[in-house]
Coordinates of all heavy atoms in Angstrom, one line a residue:
I1256 N -20.3 18.6 15.7 CA -21.1 19.2 14.7 C -20.2 19.5 13.4 O -19.1 19.9 13.5 CB -21.7 20.5 15.2 CG1 -22.8 20.3 16.2 CG2 -22.3 21.4 14.0 CD1 -24.0 19.8 15.7
A1257 N -20.8 19.2 12.2 CA -20.1 19.5 11.0 C -21.0 20.4 10.2 O -22.2 20.4 10.2 CB -19.8 18.2 10.2
F1258 N -20.2 21.3 9.4 CA -20.9 22.3 8.6 C -20.4 22.0 7.1 O -19.4 21.7 6.9 CB -20.5 23.7 9.0 CG -21.0 24.0 10.4 CD1 -20.1 24.0 11.4 CD2 -22.3 24.5 10.6 CE1 -20.4 24.3 12.7 CE2 -22.7 24.8 11.9 CZ -21.8 24.7 12.9
D1259 N -21.4 22.3 6.2 CA -21.1 22.5 4.8 C -21.5 23.9 4.4 O -22.7 24.1 4.4 CB -21.9 21.4 4.0 CG -21.8 21.6 2.5 OD1 -21.3 22.6 2.0 OD2 -22.3 20.7 1.8
D1260 N -20.5 24.7 4.3 CA -20.8 26.1 4.0 C -20.6 26.3 2.5 O -19.5 26.9 2.1 CB -20.0 27.0 4.9 CG -20.3 28.5 4.8 OD1 -21.4 28.8 4.2 OD2 -19.6 29.3 5.4
E1261 N -21.5 26.0 1.7 CA -21.5 26.1 0.2 C -20.3 25.3 -0.4 O -19.8 25.7 -1.4 CB -21.4 27.5 -0.2 CG -22.6 28.4 0.3 CD -22.6 29.8 -0.3 OE1 -23.0 29.9 -1.5 OE2 -22.2 30.7 0.4
E1262 N -19.9 24.2 0.3 CA -18.8 23.4 -0.2 C -19.3 22.3 -1.3 O -18.6 22.0 -2.2 CB -18.1 22.6 0.9 CG -17.5 23.6 1.9 CD -17.0 22.9 3.1 OE1 -16.2 22.0 3.0 OE2 -17.5 23.3 4.2
T1263 N -20.5 21.9 -1.1 CA -21.1 20.9 -2.1 C -21.8 21.6 -3.2 O -21.7 21.2 -4.4 CB -22.1 20.0 -1.3 OG1 -21.5 19.4 -0.2 CG2 -22.7 19.0 -2.3
E1264 N -22.5 22.7 -2.9 CA -23.3 23.4 -3.9 C -23.4 24.8 -3.5 O -23.7 25.2 -2.3 CB -24.7 22.8 -3.9 CG -25.6 23.2 -5.0 CD -25.2 22.6 -6.3 OE1 -24.8 21.4 -6.4 OE2 -25.3 23.3 -7.4
S1265 N -23.1 25.7 -4.4 CA -23.2 27.1 -4.1 C -24.6 27.5 -3.7 O -25.6 27.0 -4.4 CB -22.7 28.0 -5.3 OG -21.4 27.8 -5.6
G1266 N -24.8 28.3 -2.7 CA -26.1 28.7 -2.3 C -26.8 27.7 -1.3 O -27.9 28.0 -0.9
L1267 N -26.0 26.7 -0.9 CA -26.6 25.7 0.1 C -25.7 25.6 1.3 O -24.5 25.6 1.2 CB -26.8 24.3 -0.4 CG -27.9 24.2 -1.5 CD1 -28.0 22.7 -1.9 CD2 -29.3 24.5 -0.8
R1268 N -26.3 25.5 2.5 CA -25.5 25.2 3.7 C -26.2 24.1 4.5 O -27.4 23.8 4.3 CB -25.6 26.4 4.7 CG -24.6 27.5 4.4 CD -24.4 28.5 5.5 NE -23.6 29.6 5.0 CZ -24.0 30.8 4.7 NH1 -25.3 31.1 4.7 NH2 -23.2 31.7 4.2
S1269 N -25.3 23.4 5.3 CA -25.9 22.3 6.1 C -25.2 22.3 7.4 O -24.0 22.7 7.5 CB -25.8 21.0 5.4 OG -24.5 20.4 5.4
V1270 N -25.9 21.7 8.4 CA -25.4 21.4 9.7 C -25.7 20.0 10.0 O -26.8 19.5 9.8 CB -26.1 22.3 10.8 CG1 -25.6 22.0 12.1 CG2 -26.0 23.8 10.4
A1271 N -24.6 19.2 10.4 CA -24.9 17.7 10.6 C -24.3 17.3 12.0 O -23.5 17.9 12.6 CB -24.1 16.9 9.5
A1272 N -24.9 16.2 12.5 CA -24.6 15.7 13.8 C -24.7 14.2 13.7 O -25.4 13.6 13.0 CB -25.5 16.2 14.9
P1273 N -23.9 13.4 14.5 CA -23.8 12.0 14.5 C -24.9 11.3 15.2 O -25.4 11.8 16.2 CB -22.5 11.6 15.1 CG -22.3 12.7 16.1 CD -22.8 14.0 15.5
I1274 N -25.3 10.1 14.7 CA -26.3 9.3 15.4 C -25.5 8.0 15.8 O -24.8 7.4 14.9 CB -27.4 8.9 14.5 CG1 -28.3 10.2 14.2 CG2 -28.3 7.8 15.1 CD1 -29.4 9.9 13.2
R1275 N -25.5 7.7 17.1 CA -24.7 6.6 17.6 C -25.6 5.4 18.0 O -26.8 5.7 18.4 CB -23.9 7.1 18.8 CG -23.0 8.2 18.4 CD -22.2 8.8 19.7 NE -21.3 9.9 19.3 CZ -20.2 9.8 18.8 NH1 -19.6 8.6 18.5 NH2 -19.4 10.8 18.4
D1276 N -25.1 4.3 18.0 CA -25.8 3.1 18.5 C -25.5 2.8 19.9 O -24.8 3.6 20.6 CB -25.5 1.9 17.6 CG -24.1 1.4 17.7 OD1 -23.3 1.8 18.5 OD2 -23.7 0.4 16.9
W1277 N -25.9 1.7 20.5 CA -25.8 1.3 21.8 C -24.3 1.2 22.2 O -23.9 1.4 23.4 CB -26.5 0.0 22.1 CG -25.9 -1.1 21.3 CD1 -26.3 -1.4 20.0 CD2 -24.8 -2.0 21.6 NE1 -25.5 -2.5 19.5 CE2 -24.6 -2.8 20.5 CE3 -24.0 -2.2 22.7 CZ2 -23.7 -3.8 20.5 CZ3 -23.0 -3.1 22.7 CH2 -22.9 -4.0 21.6
D1278 N -23.4 1.0 21.3 CA -22.0 0.8 21.6 C -21.2 2.2 21.3 O -20.0 2.2 21.3 CB -21.5 -0.2 20.6 CG -20.1 -0.8 21.1 OD1 -19.9 -0.8 22.3 OD2 -19.4 -1.4 20.3
R1279 N -22.0 3.3 21.2 CA -21.5 4.6 20.9 C -20.8 4.8 19.5 O -20.1 5.7 19.3 CB -20.6 5.1 22.0 CG -21.1 5.1 23.4 CD -22.1 6.2 23.7 NE -21.5 7.5 23.5 CZ -22.2 8.6 23.1 NH1 -23.5 8.5 22.9 NH2 -21.6 9.7 22.9
K1280 N -21.0 3.8 18.6 CA -20.4 3.9 17.3 C -21.3 4.7 16.4 O -22.6 4.7 16.5 CB -20.3 2.5 16.6 CG -19.2 1.6 17.3 CD -19.3 0.2 16.9 CE -18.6 0.0 15.6 NZ -18.5 -1.4 15.2
V1281 N -20.7 5.6 15.6 CA -21.5 6.4 14.7 C -22.1 5.5 13.6 O -21.3 4.9 12.8 CB -20.7 7.5 14.1 CG1 -21.5 8.3 13.0 CG2 -20.3 8.5 15.2
V1282 N -23.4 5.4 13.5 CA -24.0 4.5 12.4 C -24.8 5.4 11.4 O -25.1 4.8 10.4 CB -24.9 3.5 13.1 CG1 -24.1 2.5 13.9 CG2 -26.0 4.2 13.9
A1283 N -25.0 6.6 11.7 CA -25.7 7.5 10.7 C -25.4 8.9 11.1 O -24.7 9.2 12.1 CB -27.2 7.2 10.8
A1284 N -25.9 9.8 10.4 CA -25.8 11.3 10.7 C -27.1 11.9 10.1 O -27.7 11.4 9.2 CB -24.6 11.9 10.0
I1285 N -27.5 13.0 10.8 CA -28.6 13.8 10.4 C -28.1 15.2 10.1 O -27.1 15.6 10.6 CB -29.8 13.8 11.3 CG1 -29.4 14.5 12.6 CG2 -30.4 12.5 11.5 CD1 -30.6 14.8 13.5
S1286 N -28.8 15.8 9.1 CA -28.4 17.2 8.9 C -29.6 18.1 8.5 O -30.7 17.5 8.1 CB -27.4 17.3 7.7 OG -28.0 16.8 6.5
I1287 N -29.5 19.4 8.7 CA -30.4 20.3 8.2 C -29.7 21.0 7.0 O -28.6 21.5 7.1 CB -30.7 21.4 9.3 CG1 -31.4 20.7 10.5 CG2 -31.6 22.5 8.7 CD1 -31.6 21.6 11.7
I1288 N -30.4 21.0 5.9 CA -29.8 21.5 4.7 C -30.8 22.6 4.1 O -32.0 22.4 4.1 CB -29.6 20.5 3.6 CG1 -28.7 19.4 4.1 CG2 -29.0 21.1 2.3 CD1 -28.7 18.2 3.2
G1289 N -30.3 23.7 3.7 CA -31.1 24.7 3.1 C -30.4 25.8 2.4 O -29.2 25.8 2.4
P1290 N -31.1 26.7 1.7 CA -30.5 27.7 1.0 C -29.8 28.8 1.9 O -30.3 28.9 3.1 CB -31.6 28.4 0.2 CG -32.9 28.0 1.0 CD -32.6 26.7 1.6
T1291 N -28.8 29.4 1.5 CA -28.1 30.3 2.3 C -29.0 31.5 2.7 O -28.7 32.1 3.8 CB -26.8 30.9 1.6 OG1 -27.2 31.4 0.3 CG2 -25.7 29.8 1.5
S1292 N -30.0 31.8 2.0 CA -30.9 32.9 2.3 C -31.7 32.5 3.6 O -32.1 33.4 4.3 CB -31.9 33.2 1.2 OG -32.7 32.0 0.9
R1293 N -31.9 31.2 3.9 CA -32.6 30.8 5.0 C -31.7 30.3 6.2 O -32.1 30.4 7.3 CB -33.7 29.7 4.7 CG -34.7 30.3 3.7 CD -35.7 29.3 3.3 NE -36.6 29.0 4.4 CZ -37.4 28.0 4.5 NH1 -37.4 27.1 3.6 NH2 -38.3 27.8 5.5
I1294 N -30.6 29.7 5.8 CA -29.6 29.3 6.7 C -28.5 30.3 6.6 O -27.4 30.0 6.0 CB -29.2 27.8 6.5 CG1 -30.4 26.9 6.6 CG2 -28.1 27.4 7.5 CD1 -30.0 25.5 6.4
N1295 N -28.7 31.4 7.2 CA -27.6 32.4 7.2 C -26.6 32.2 8.3 O -26.9 31.4 9.2 CB -28.2 33.8 7.2 CG -29.1 34.1 8.4 OD1 -28.7 33.7 9.5 ND2 -30.2 34.8 8.1
K1296 N -25.5 32.8 8.3 CA -24.4 32.5 9.3 C -24.9 32.7 10.7 O -24.4 32.1 11.6 CB -23.2 33.2 8.9 CG -22.6 32.6 7.6 CD -21.1 33.0 7.4 CE -20.6 32.4 6.1 NZ -19.2 32.4 6.1
S1297 N -25.7 33.7 10.9 CA -26.2 34.0 12.2 C -27.1 32.9 12.8 O -27.3 32.9 14.0 CB -26.9 35.4 12.3 OG -28.1 35.4 11.5
R1298 N -27.7 32.1 12.0 CA -28.5 31.0 12.4 C -27.8 29.7 12.6 O -28.4 28.8 13.2 CB -29.7 30.8 11.4 CG -30.7 31.9 11.4 CD -32.0 31.4 10.8 NE -32.6 30.4 11.6 CZ -33.5 29.5 11.2 NH1 -33.8 29.4 9.9 NH2 -34.0 28.6 12.0
L1299 N -26.5 29.6 12.3 CA -25.8 28.4 12.3 C -25.8 27.7 13.7 O -26.0 26.5 13.9 CB -24.4 28.4 11.7 CG -24.4 28.5 10.2 CD1 -23.0 28.7 9.7 CD2 -25.0 27.3 9.5
N1300 N -25.5 28.6 14.7 CA -25.4 28.1 16.1 C -26.7 27.5 16.6 O -26.8 26.5 17.3 CB -24.8 29.1 17.1 CG -23.4 29.4 16.8 OD1 -22.6 28.5 16.4 ND2 -22.9 30.5 17.3
E1301 N -27.8 28.3 16.3 CA -29.2 27.8 16.7 C -29.5 26.4 16.0 O -29.9 25.5 16.7 CB -30.2 28.9 16.2 CG -31.6 28.5 16.3 CD -32.6 29.4 15.5 OE1 -32.1 30.4 15.0 OE2 -33.7 29.0 15.5

């Protein structure tokens, strides 16, 4: 899991995870991105 804790843009956080193909190679990633007011630090694990 990777986090962006207001590193790209102040006031935004994201949580990302890898998407792997049949050979277990990472071919993409998905993330949830939102304002810090909605993605507060207590929600990061969830």
